Amino acid sequence: MLKIENINVFYGAIHAIKDISIEVNEGEIVTLIGANGAGKSTTLRTISGLLKPKTGKITFEGKDIAGIPAQAIVKTGISQVPEGRRVFANMTVMENLELGAYIRSDKSGIAEDMNSVFERFPRLLERKSQLAGTLSGGEQQMLAMGRALMSRPRLLLLDEPSMGLAPLLVKEIFTIVQEINRTGTTVLLVEQNANMALSIANKAYVLETGRITLSGDAKELAASEDVRKAYLGG
Ligand code: ATP
């Protein structure tokens, strides 16, 4: 479904992504794990069109998407939940969700999807007229996910959904990610919480200072001595 081949991404003179290749098949949850500054967010931002790779190829469902504008990428069926949620604080929950559907014009489809977001996240329904900035961290994460789902993506990019959340909420968010996947959305999940990410993913890639150092079946990686020592606390 998504194929990244040997991309290199720079911030000015900083070589942030070095010759990375990643493959995501339809229906999978694939996770990208690694320490702070490894290049996880940069990889996601490159897929979603916010950054342009200097070299390499990105194809989505056979279509070359490297370097095309972010809005056009959303139209191809990819949606990103950014790191730190970035909800529009001075807009209501509902207005935030409506913005997620900005590329669409099918009113009844949009209303249908708004309902399914509220079914998936009952807490957002209770707070639909509340300003997003007054929501708790977990609720804002739910809103950011709901907003991304409003474009009906086939591939959902999630950037550290567990960041700053209490363990119980992290569990809840990960359960929701699994449900979203089960109902037909392919997921590429970036996480520092390697334990949780590996527990729900099919496949994983380990990123270190801009390079992929390990990849494979998530369960096998979770059991590997090297991964346990470096990322799972021994
Ligand atoms: P984190 O979990 O902290 O977000 P990450 O794995 O997502 O880490 P990136 O944010 O992708 O890492 O950063 C990769 C490298 O690129 C880092 O060395 C970082 O300092 C650098 N970098 C990120 N954003 C910029 C920027 N806007 N300008 C210059 N360098 C940047």
Side-chain angles (χ1 to χ4, degrees), residues 9-17 32-45 51 83 159-160 163 190-192 207 209-210:
V9 183
F10 291 77
Y11 293 104
I14 299 170
H15 193 177
I17 296 297
L32 198 54
I33 57 177
N36 244 318
K40 304 181 299 297
S41 300
T42 302
T43 304
L44 284 197
R45 278 189 238 126
L51 293 169
E83 187 174 1
D159 197 346
E160 290 197 34
M163 195 170 64
V190 155
E191 260 301 338
Q192 275 196 55
L207 209 54
T209 56

Side-chain angles (χ1 to χ4, degrees), residues 14-222:
I14 299 170
H15 193 177
I17 296 297
K18 299 165 186 148
D19 225 28
I20 279 181
S21 297
I22 291 174
E23 213 172 326
V24 181
N25 296 314
E26 187 159 9
E28 285 182 328
I29 298 180
V30 175
T31 187
L32 198 54
I33 57 177
N36 244 318
K40 304 181 299 297
S41 300
T42 302
T43 304
L44 284 197
R45 278 189 238 126
T46 307
I47 300 168
S48 60
L50 300 173
L51 293 169
K52 205 178 152 136
K54 192 160 190 183
T55 59
K57 214 170 147 188
I58 307 178
T59 49
F60 179 62
E61 295 178 332
K63 190 177 170 206
D64 187 358
I65 59 162
I68 72 170
Q71 188 170 342
I73 290 182
V74 175
K75 281 193 176 141
T76 67
I78 300 178
S79 187
Q80 182 176 2
V81 182
E83 187 174 1
R85 358 284 188 209
R86 310 244 185 90
V87 295
F88 298 99
N90 294 320
M91 296 174 111
T92 66
V93 165
M94 245 172 109
E95 286 164 346
N96 269 274
L97 292 177
E98 279 159 6
L99 272 180
Y102 75 99
I103 59 156
R104 300 171 57 184
S105 51
D106 56 321
K107 280 216 170 89
S108 63
I110 293 172
E112 217 174 88
D113 287 353
M114 179 94 66
N115 280 337
S116 32
V117 166
F118 284 142
E119 264 168 38
R120 201 180 293 285
F121 304 103
R123 264 193 267 181
L124 295 184
L125 177 62
E126 287 163 24
R127 293 162 175 76
K128 67 177 181 183
S129 307
Q130 196 171 317
L131 292 182
T134 64
L135 299 173
S136 73
E139 289 158 0
Q140 288 192 18
Q141 182 59 43
M142 291 175 194
L143 180 55
M145 287 166 71
R147 183 181 59 190
L149 290 173
M150 288 300 294
S151 66
R152 272 202 195 175
R154 289 190 300 288
L155 174 65
L156 185 66
L157 309 176
L158 288 166
D159 197 346
E160 290 197 34
S162 79
M163 195 170 64
L165 301 184
L168 217 62
L169 258 172
V170 173
K171 249 186 136 168
E172 191 179 338
I173 294 287
F174 274 73
T175 303
I176 295 168
V177 173
Q178 281 182 299
E179 281 167 17
I180 290 170
N181 175 251
R182 248 183 249 123
T183 48
T185 311
T186 306
V187 174
L188 178 57
L189 166 70
V190 155
E191 260 301 338
Q192 275 196 55
N193 189 335
N195 257 318
M196 284 301 280
L198 290 174
S199 75
I200 68 162
N202 304 102
K203 221 163 61 194
Y205 292 85
V206 179
L207 209 54
E208 258 176 62
T209 56
R211 282 183 206 285
I212 288 170
T213 51
L214 276 169
S215 65
D217 178 86
K219 302 280 167 301
E220 280 170 24
L221 280 185

